[in-house]
Amino acid sequence: LYITKLISEGETKFWTRDKGTEVRNKILSEFELSGESILVIDFTGVEIVDFSFASEVVAISVSRLAKELSGKHILIRGMNKSVEENVSVAIERAALCVLIYEDENAWKLIGKYSDALLTTFKLIKDLKKTDTPTLAEKLNSTIPVMNNRLRALTDLGLVIKEESSAPSGGKQYNYYCII
Amino acid sequence: LFFRVHNVLNRESFVDLSDHLQKNVDEIFNTNNIEVDLSDIRFSEPAGIVGLIIFTRFLYNEYGIKSIIKMPNNVEAHKYLLNAGITKDKGVITEFENINNSMYLQTILNKLGIAGNKTTSVNFIAVTDIVSEEDIKNVNKKFEDWMVDNNYSEEEKNDLQVLVSELCQNISQHSETVQNGVFLMQGYTYKSLGDEKRCIISIGDTGIGIKGSLDKKKKINEAARWEDDYTIRMVLKNGLSSKEDDQFRGNGFFNLQRLAKKHNLNFYIHSHGGLFYCEYSESKLSKKIQQTIYPIKGTQVSFELRTKKHK
């Protein structure tokens, strides 16, 4: 885990897209240098963020998990009600979602996601390690449908995808929940 | 050629000015001047002041016409307009008649911090340029002070500061404004309404307007066919962004609508030839006006916040 605290430099109120870009660039470059795979953005002590700041720091970072940050993951924690509302709107407007994780019993997704995606995520979390056929069977669905959901969850950085060799000699993928 | 504002300078005065321009456009161009007569007014609201600034700047930017503003005869109204910053563009864009020079001097001294009676009340923020992040933080801090003084909850303070921040950022990031964007705030206490407090904030620019911004980036193909008033309606509803290839922007107006509903705000938007006004009460839309006017380049957003429920 690489944990970054937003208030580390003493500020508790964060405004504007420019400030968000500056903070995001700093966080992501330090995260990449750390070599860790999970970034925890800790909002503890932050009083307020506007939508533009939230969009730059959270929504754009999450969107990059499907591209240049592929294989990395993002968690959020420590948000007060107001900050959570603004981050939620920012990420929902970008048609993305992110995981808020406080502890094993206090986690939730915020943003835009379907019930089916949430159900699949919960099942992966319960199973610890799984694969497409298992999920399809347990959710009474098909492998193509499951593959689509797993691709979405992987692009959002909510699951870890690991390649292994199938008994038949081909490739197969196992999936782990990030929490 | 002159236009007289009667009694109150408010957002409706801007509509009247636009009508006046439409009816007399040839004469205004022929004489190359216009006088806005405020001698009769007794009261000014932020939307009226910012609207007048946008109007005079538009005439100058588009046609090189200098406006003459005749100041109020009423002493308090006169003093208020000077303190609010009505003379901001004095010189190239506007000239003033009937100006009380002793009051004017006092205003200049106040602004320089020389005079002893400089106002420190958070009930009022005079016309302030919005250019940088620092400007946004500064006006937001003063707005927060006003809300603290008037017993707003943390949630309300946070939401409304976010709104001010987003609307101010629209100016610096999207508007391509010719002159700097401006911010003006005034708090009021209504004795007749049991000391109900209200606050009006008005933010304006002389830029390309909401539709111009969308058209330029060709983000929304069908927007090219939209009228200005319909464009305002659509950005309020959908939060459309003018930034190409960027799904993360364009939340300012969407959030204005959302927060208006949540906090029972009244708000007003002018953008070029479109006007939109909404009133919310008990989290429901209680009044809506959508209209077209003679196009005056720029965008103005004003909203009113009431504190009755805190009393």
Side-chain angles (χ1 to χ4, degrees):
Chain A
L1 291 183
Y2 176 77
I3 302 171
T4 183
K5 284 182 183 283
L6 282 182
I7 62 159
S8 59
E9 285 167 19
E11 286 182 75
T12 59
K13 297 180 179 185
F14 294 92
W15 309 109
T16 76
R17 192 163 290 280
D18 288 346
K19 180 70 180 175
T21 307
E22 179 193 322
V23 170
R24 187 194 68 230
N25 288 340
K26 183 170 180 285
I27 289 174
L28 292 186
S29 89
E30 288 174 358
F31 173 50
E32 287 188 87
L33 284 174
S34 75
E36 296 287 347
S37 62
I38 299 179
L39 169 65
V40 180
I41 304 174
D42 189 345
F43 283 82
T44 303
V46 174
E47 289 180 69
I48 185 168
V49 299
D50 68 10
F51 302 104
S52 297
F53 180 88
S55 171
E56 287 292 324
V57 173
V58 181
I60 291 183
S61 299
V62 169
S63 76
R64 291 189 178 175
L65 295 174
K67 300 171 198 164
E68 63 264 42
L69 290 177
S70 177
K72 304 284 187 185
H73 315 276
I74 293 175
L75 299 177
I76 293 178
R77 76 180 186 199
M79 293 193 287
N80 68 27
K81 192 180 164 198
S82 166
V83 171
E84 183 180 324
E85 185 177 331
N86 293 336
V87 169
S88 294
V89 172
I91 201 155
E92 187 171 341
R93 301 288 301 165
L96 296 167
C97 69
V98 69
L99 184 64
I100 301 179
Y101 184 80
E102 302 298 344
D103 59 50
E104 179 59 27
N105 299 315
W107 64 268
K108 67 178 173 181
L109 291 179
I110 58 166
K112 190 171 184 178
Y113 57 88
S114 63
D115 289 344
L117 202 71
L118 179 61
T119 304
T120 309
F121 177 73
K122 281 180 177 169
L123 184 59
I124 297 169
K125 182 176 178 298
D126 292 343
L127 294 171
K128 309 290 185 197
K129 176 186 174 185
T130 188
D131 53 31
T132 311
T134 309
L135 288 170
E137 185 190 337
K138 288 192 177 291
L139 292 172
N140 196 24
S141 185
T142 63
I143 285 180
V145 167
M146 276 305 120
N147 277 334
N148 281 338
R149 288 187 205 169
L150 286 165
R151 190 178 305 119
L153 289 167
T154 306
D155 285 349
L156 290 163
L158 295 170
V159 298
I160 297 164
K161 181 181 179 183
E162 189 180 81
E163 186 181 313
S164 64
S165 298
S168 59
K171 283 181 189 174
Q172 76 170 27
Y173 294 98
N174 292 317
Y175 295 89
Y176 306 84
C177 179
I178 60 167
I179 55 172
Chain B
L1 188 77
F2 81 99
F3 173 76
R4 177 170 286 170
V5 180
H6 293 283
N7 206 27
V8 184
L9 177 66
N10 58 15
R11 64 182 172 79
E12 284 157 10
S13 313
F14 182 78
V15 180
D16 295 339
L17 278 167
S18 150
D19 283 348
H20 180 70
L21 187 57
Q22 185 165 22
K23 285 173 191 156
N24 301 286
V25 67
D26 291 339
E27 199 174 342
I28 290 169
F29 292 158
N30 287 336
T31 56
N32 208 35
N33 75 54
I34 180 169
E35 179 177 312
V36 181
D37 184 354
L38 305 179
S39 59
D40 192 34
I41 69 157
R42 295 177 170 275
F43 190 69
S44 304
E45 289 183 352
I49 297 170
V50 172
L52 184 55
I53 289 172
I54 289 174
F55 179 80
T56 54
R57 286 178 174 182
F58 165 70
L59 288 178
Y60 176 75
N61 294 340
E62 288 294 304
Y63 311 111
I65 294 174
K66 184 188 268 194
S67 303
I68 298 162
I69 296 176
K70 191 170 185 183
M71 291 293 282
N73 293 328
N74 178 283
V75 173
E76 287 307 314
H78 193 117
K79 203 162 127 187
Y80 180 80
L81 280 179
L82 289 176
N83 284 328
I86 193 80
T87 55
K88 182 175 181 52
D89 294 331
K90 188 173 187 295
V92 179
I93 297 175
T94 43
E95 281 303 341
F96 292 82
E97 275 185 3
N98 194 31
I99 199 162
N100 182 320
N101 282 321
S102 62
M103 283 187 203
Y104 186 54
L105 178 64
Q106 189 67 38
T107 307
I108 291 170
L109 293 175
N110 282 345
K111 282 187 179 144
L112 293 170
I114 295 168
N117 62 344
K118 186 182 179 190
T119 177
T120 54
S121 167
V122 292
N123 224 26
F124 174 63
I125 304 173
V127 172
T128 304
D129 283 350
I130 298 296
V131 181
S132 65
E133 187 181 313
E134 209 52 35
D135 296 328
I136 298 172
K137 279 164 92 170
N138 287 339
V139 295
N140 237 339
K141 176 70 182 71
K142 290 178 185 174
F143 181 43
E144 182 186 12
D145 290 344
W146 182 84
M147 287 191 287
V148 168
D149 287 349
N150 290 285
N151 306 318
Y152 274 78
S153 69
E154 279 299 312
E155 186 183 9
E156 287 167 321
K157 276 191 294 172
N158 290 343
D159 280 353
L160 294 164
Q161 285 186 90
V162 166
L163 183 56
V164 167
S165 169
E166 295 292 337
L167 293 174
C168 288
Q169 285 181 76
N170 276 347
I171 292 176
S172 56
Q173 292 171 2
H174 304 271
S175 74
E176 301 180 25
T177 187
V178 180
Q179 288 84 13
N180 291 338
V182 291
F183 174 99
L184 176 60
M185 187 202 102
Q186 175 66 64
Y188 302 94
T189 302
Y190 290 83
K191 296 283 179 198
S192 60
L193 298 172
D195 279 347
E196 178 181 324
K197 303 235 181 208
R198 291 185 186 179
C199 170
I200 299 180
I201 282 178
S202 193
I203 299 163
D205 66 67
T206 47
I208 60 175
I210 299 169
K211 179 173 156 48
S213 189
L214 291 175
D215 286 349
K216 195 164 183 180
K217 305 292 179 184
K218 295 185 168 43
K219 173 83 175 173
I220 316 287
N221 289 333
E222 63 267 36
R225 298 191 298 273
W226 295 350
E227 298 294 326
D228 285 311
D229 57 326
Y230 185 73
T231 306
I232 298 171
R233 185 172 152 183
M234 293 306 283
V235 295
L236 285 168
K237 187 179 171 194
N238 300 324
L240 306 175
S241 171
S242 65
K243 289 281 180 180
E244 201 169 20
D245 301 325
D246 194 337
Q247 74 204 88
F248 304 101
R249 296 174 186 258
N251 285 324
F253 288 108
F254 170 77
N255 282 315
L256 173 61
Q257 177 100 312
R258 191 177 71 83
L259 294 174
K261 185 175 178 186
K262 185 173 173 187
H263 297 292
N264 294 315
L265 307 177
N266 300 335
F267 70 85
Y268 156 80
I269 300 173
H270 150 252
S271 187
H272 282 28
L275 281 181
F276 211 85
Y277 175 74
C278 285
E279 283 182 16
Y280 279 86
S281 180
E282 296 176 355
S283 296
K284 286 182 183 160
L285 184 65
S286 54
K287 185 175 180 183
K288 184 175 90 173
I289 300 169
Q290 179 182 338
Q291 69 181 103
T292 56
I293 58 166
Y294 186 80
I296 294 172
K297 279 192 181 173
T299 301
Q300 184 186 359
V301 181
S302 300
F303 67 87
E304 182 187 38
L305 182 62
R306 290 154 291 176
T307 62
K308 197 170 186 175
K309 59 191 170 178
H310 298 285
K311 295 293 154 192

